[in-house]
Each structure stands twice: as structure tokens, then as C-alpha cells.
């Protein structure tokens, strides 16, 4: 069963605080560069986040889907709040290096993270994705075969 919006706000406070910023990715990633592989090449970040062949990289979008539970329908109140947040994200400033593909992937990540918080089921990988955003990076893939390996994070 999902939480009400007030409960989601409490559970997702760090993420919602991050989303209140006016600019994203305006400084280098400040997270754990030993636990995560940090990359600086936007073309590699885009390839890692969109390549679904599994030949060069782990299929990132499929991996995220595999650890995302199949929840019942989201209450309208929360779905409406998620749509408001996504709409507000379109007015934010992003590092000029980012492309629409990565921004769209970020918006999808944010929507799924809020869903995770709403249902109280935030998988370890989603916690790592959230922490990468909070630390100023853009999670864009996985190095190795999950769960072995590490998160790949793009930094400006």
C-alpha cells in the first residue's frame, strides 16, 4: 500500500530537497569515486545509459527495471505530485554538456525513485542512484554484471 503525499515527502526529503535546486550538475561529482566509476565523457554517458544490446555495457535501463517492483496503481494525489515535479524539472538549468536523452533519463529516474519512496520499497540500486544524484553526479550505467561491479556516474 502506498503512503500519502505527506509521508512520501518525509521519506524522500533528501531527494525532494535536491530537486528544489535551480541548477543541476553545475559542479563536479562529490561522491565516492572508489565505490563508483566516475566518467567525464558525455558521449560515453549517453551510450552507457541507452545501449540496450548488452554487448559493450550492461543494459542500464533494463537493469533499473529489473529491480523496480511491479506496484499497484499509484494514488492520483501522488501521481499528480510526481507530474508536477517532472514539469518543474523542465524549467531547471542543466549543465550545458547534458543532452535531452540524459535529461529524460534523469526525469524517469526521479519518477521511479518517488514511486519507490511512496511504496516504501527502495532497492539498494535505487538508493545508490539517488545518492549519486544527491552527490552531484548523473548515474548512467553499471560497470560489470550486476550485482558485481559498480555504478557508473557522469560528472561535469
Amino acid at each position: 500500500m502506498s503512503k500519502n503525499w505527506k509521508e512520501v515527502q518525509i521519506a524522500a526529503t533528501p531527494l525532494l530537497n535536491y530537486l528544489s535546486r535551480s541548477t543541476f550538475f553545475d559542479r563536479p561529482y562529490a561522491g565516492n569515486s572508489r565505490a563508483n566509476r566516475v566518467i567525464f565523457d558525455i558521449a560515453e554517458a549517453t551510450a552507457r545509459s541507452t545501449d540496450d544490446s548488452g554487448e559493450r555495457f550492461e543494459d542500464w535501463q533494463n537493469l533499473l527495471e529489473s529491480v523496480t517492483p511491479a506496484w499497484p496503481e499509484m494514488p492520483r494525489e501522488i501521481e499528480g505530485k510526481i507530474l508536477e515535479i517532472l514539469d518543474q524539472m523542465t524549467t531547471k538549468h542543466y549543465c550545458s554538456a547534458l543532452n535531452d536523452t540524459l535529461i529524460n533519463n534523469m526525469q524517469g529516474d526521479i519518477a521511479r525513485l518517488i514511486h519507490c519512496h511512496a511504496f516504501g520499497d527502495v532497492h539498494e540500486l535505487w538508493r545508490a542512484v539517488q545518492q549519486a544524484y544527491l552527490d552531484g553526479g548523473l548515474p548512467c550505467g553499471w560497470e560489470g554484471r550486476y550485482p558485481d561491479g559498480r555504478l557508473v556516474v557522469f560528472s561535469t
Side-chain angles (χ1 to χ4, degrees):
M1 182 163 169
S2 104
K3 301 174 181 178
N4 64 41
W5 181 244
K6 196 62 138 174
E7 293 168 321
V8 173
Q9 286 178 298
I10 292 167
T13 296
L15 179 63
L16 295 174
N17 287 344
Y18 168 77
L19 294 172
S20 70
R21 297 178 59 186
S22 61
T23 305
F24 298 120
F25 314 114
D26 57 337
R27 58 190 83 132
Y29 173 67
N32 187 337
S33 59
R34 287 181 189 229
N36 300 318
R37 175 163 181 236
V38 181
I39 62 172
F40 302 92
D41 181 343
I42 196 70
E44 181 182 351
T46 303
R48 284 184 172 279
S49 82
T50 60
D51 183 346
D52 61 1
S53 70
E55 293 173 12
R56 290 179 49 208
F57 313 114
E58 175 101 25
D59 181 345
W60 179 235
Q61 297 305 318
N62 189 54
L63 175 57
L64 291 174
E65 275 302 313
S66 75
V67 299
T68 304
W71 296 295
E73 190 170 315
M74 181 67 61
R76 288 181 191 222
E77 172 198 24
I78 295 174
E79 198 61 49
K81 294 291 188 182
I82 292 171
L83 292 174
E84 282 179 32
I85 289 168
L86 295 177
D87 187 52
Q88 291 167 3
M89 287 178 72
T90 64
T91 66
K92 305 286 182 162
H93 299 282
Y94 295 84
C95 162
S96 61
L98 291 190
N99 55 44
D100 288 344
T101 299
L102 292 175
I103 293 170
N104 289 337
N105 285 350
M106 176 192 181
Q107 291 171 340
D109 291 349
I110 297 304
R112 285 187 272 188
L113 275 164
I114 296 171
H115 276 89
C116 290
H117 287 291
F119 284 100
D121 190 3
V122 185
H123 186 277
E124 177 182 339
L125 180 57
W126 278 113
R127 285 193 301 271
V129 165
Q130 177 174 302
Q131 191 59 53
Y133 282 119
L134 298 179
D135 290 336
L138 193 148
C140 58
W142 189 264
E143 182 177 71
R145 288 283 174 213
Y146 189 81
D148 297 322
R150 59 190 179 158
L151 185 66
V152 179
V153 179
F154 172 75
S155 176
T156 56

